[in-house]
Structure formats: C-alpha cells, structure tokens
Amino acid sequence: MSSFGKVAVLFGGTSAEREVSLNSGSRVLAALQGQGIDAHAFDPATQTLDDLKGYDRAFIALHGRHGEDGTIQGALEFMHIPYTGSGVLASALAMDKFRTKLMWQAAGLPVPEYALLTADSDFAEIEEQLGLPLFVKPAREGSSIGVTKVKEPGALKAAYAEAARHDSLVIAEKGVMGGEYTVGIVGDEVLPIIKIVPATEWYDYEAKYNRDDTKYLCPCGLPEAKEMEIRKGALEAFRILGGRGWGRVDFLMDEAGNHYYLEVNTAPGMTDHSLVPMAARVAGMEYPALVRRVLELAAND
C-alpha cells in the first residue's frame, strides 16, 4: 500500500458542481483510507496549491470548471505530481462539448446534429433546421447545469439566454430520443453499457443526483453485436481526445437504432448514484477496487 505514498484526494472546488464533487470525493477518500492508503482530503476552494507540496499522488474527484478542464491538471504537471484521469489537453477538449464534436466529426464518428448559438442567431431558423425537441447547453458545464429541453416553437431564444448565464459558448443539439446510455472506461477495459431511464422527462440534474426513481439498466438490452460496436467506438472516441486513465463516454440512440456519441467525462462521478461504479460492479469490480485501480493509473505527462 505504501507504494502510493501520500495521496491528495482533490474534491469540492469552486465550480457549479461543488456539491456533487464533495459527495464523490468523500466516498473516494473513505475507500482509499479503508485500504490503508495514506490519503488526505484537499479542497482547492479552501487550500492553496502550495499546500500540495509533499504529496506523491493526486486523485482528482473535482467536477466542472477548474477541476476537469485542464486547469488543476496543469498545476499538478507543473508540480510533478502524478494524478488520476486525463492530461491537460484531453481534459480541456472533453470539457468543451463544441470542440469535442468537431474532433469526432473529423474522425468520422457519429454525433447529433447541432448548431453554435450567439445572441445574434436566427433562432427560428435553427429550430427549423434541427427540429423539435432540441436541447440547449452551455458548452463547458456538466451535470446538466443550464440545459433546457426546447419543445415549443419560439422557445429557443429564452433557452439560449439561460445557458448563456453559465457560459459564453452555447450549443443547440437535435433531440435524439431513442434512449440515453453511457460507457465507462478504466485503463484499457471498456465496462458494460448502462441504459439510463429517468422518471423525469429527461436525465436532468434532479434525475442524476436527487431522485431514487431513475432506472439504470445493465445489461442495457442492446443486441450483443451492437453493444460491442458501440463499446469499441466509445474507446476510440475517448482516445481521439487523448483520454487516459479512466473516463465515461455518453451516447444516444435514435428510434431507428442508430447511435450518436454525445460527450466525454474525464472525471466521472463517484457518488452512490454514479455510473462508472455501477458498471464496474457488474463487471466484477467493487467500489474499493475501482478506486484503487484508478489511483494505480495516475500519470504525469
């Protein structure tokens, strides 16, 4: 156990996802300490980077800006502290849903049709182009923060204004309504796919973190050949962005059975509602073993 040295578990932070991160990080910390690992809580909102001196490794359980967008990764690089998850560039790209789509499109991977929005956009034309329903999102937020499902003609402008409160970069995305799924990745292992069935109209913040009636199906019910095709593509999608260590790739299905890759999470949640621990358990890896494996994969570019 001592081979890990002194481990900082980074959680909390200053992003809109602070509460989720506190939940994730406290569970990670307990799991590491329960295995005899010299792990300590570290909250960048209340501690300075100087306080990281003397740590041998970092487990990043921060979510959102400054935690999974390459910012803290760059600081750890500078301090020569190995850390969990993807490096600076992959973290920054994955946090930006717009540039993620550009990368995937260039590589020939399927993504939902989308449009970049500004205050001067022709909202009626975009509604016509993408069709309804559509989703409006801040491009660099997570946990469905600032996301609106647009169902009625003329509602896109207000949805843009809501998303723009959270980010200057806003995208509208065609609604792909045949089901929402996710694929966890740990090292070179692609975990079983989970199908997400919210009791709410869509998988919003409430359904993700505060409700107990969201259903998670694993096995996901897809034909085996289709599941293997998507899992292979998910690993490719992760690696195109430069992903390493661990992560999660979300995708959507349409009613005709076509899949579309949605986004990558390079610092997935580790709460009691979180998806990577759920899939890992189905694959035979309990929570403490998962946390230890992620820590083992810590690297420094």
Side-chain angles (χ1 to χ4, degrees):
M1 295 296 181
S2 61
S3 63
F4 293 119
K6 186 178 181 183
V7 177
V9 180
L10 278 64
F11 62 106
T14 58
S15 81
E17 298 180 73
R18 174 176 172 81
E19 291 305 314
V20 181
S21 175
L22 288 171
N23 190 344
S24 284
S26 61
R27 294 196 76 219
V28 168
L29 181 65
L32 292 174
Q33 291 176 339
Q35 298 177 77
I37 295 168
D38 184 22
H40 304 262
F42 189 97
D43 187 347
T46 59
Q47 295 170 266
T48 68
L49 291 175
D50 197 54
D51 296 330
L52 281 171
K53 290 178 180 175
Y55 281 96
D56 300 296
R57 195 171 292 223
F59 192 116
I60 299 176
L62 294 164
H63 304 316
R65 297 190 189 192
H66 309 304
E68 57 180 311
D69 63 358
T71 305
I72 194 68
Q73 289 80 4
L76 292 165
E77 295 276 349
F78 188 76
M79 300 178 75
H80 304 291
I81 299 173
Y83 56 90
T84 57
S86 292
V88 176
L89 179 60
S91 299
L93 281 172
M95 192 68 189
D96 188 326
K97 297 177 183 67
F98 171 55
R99 288 172 175 82
T100 291
K101 291 178 189 301
L102 292 178
M103 294 280 286
W104 286 348
Q105 283 179 302
L109 292 179
V111 300
E113 189 179 352
Y114 68 95
L116 196 61
L117 300 181
T118 70
D120 298 323
S121 291
D122 186 332
F123 295 106
E125 182 180 320
I126 291 170
E127 285 181 355
E128 181 72 22
Q129 171 196 335
L130 297 180
L132 298 177
L134 60 80
F135 289 86
V136 178
K137 306 176 178 183
R140 296 167 294 201
E141 284 288 358
S143 293
S144 300
I145 291 167
V147 178
T148 301
K149 182 179 181 181
V150 176
K151 299 180 288 183
E152 303 295 333
L156 180 55
K157 186 173 183 178
Y160 164 75
E162 169 59 23
R165 291 196 311 110
H166 300 274
D167 193 356
S168 59
L169 192 64
V170 176
I171 56 174
E173 192 173 75
K174 181 181 181 68
V176 178
M177 309 307 295
E180 184 163 354
Y181 300 76
T182 194
V183 190
I185 295 168
V186 180
D188 294 323
E189 182 179 1
V190 184
L191 300 175
I193 294 174
I194 295 175
K195 182 177 183 180
I196 302 156
V197 186
T200 50
E201 191 171 351
W202 58 283
Y203 193 45
D204 57 8
Y205 186 96
E206 187 72 13
K208 287 177 179 177
Y209 302 114
N210 298 329
R211 297 180 67 108
D212 292 322
D213 53 2
T214 303
K215 294 180 181 177
Y216 302 98
L217 307 180
C218 190
C220 66
L222 292 174
E224 184 178 357
K226 184 66 173 177
E227 171 154 0
M228 298 313 294
E229 175 195 349
I230 293 172
R231 286 168 69 172
K232 181 180 178 182
L235 184 59
E236 181 186 358
F238 185 62
R239 288 180 170 166
I240 283 169
L241 298 184
R244 73 172 187 214
W246 74 310
R248 203 188 72 230
V249 180
D250 299 337
F251 70 95
L252 302 170
M253 299 285 290
D254 67 14
E255 290 85 347
N258 302 304
H259 65 279
Y260 301 86
Y261 294 107
L262 191 61
E263 60 186 84
V264 170
N265 191 317
T266 55
M270 292 292 280
T271 73
D272 53 1
H273 280 64
S274 292
L275 300 167
V276 172
M278 202 178 299
R281 189 163 55 249
V282 172
M285 187 186 304
E286 293 298 328
Y287 191 94
L290 170 63
V291 171
R292 179 183 172 85
R293 177 63 179 143
V294 170
L295 186 62
E296 286 173 347
L297 292 166
N300 189 290
D301 281 344

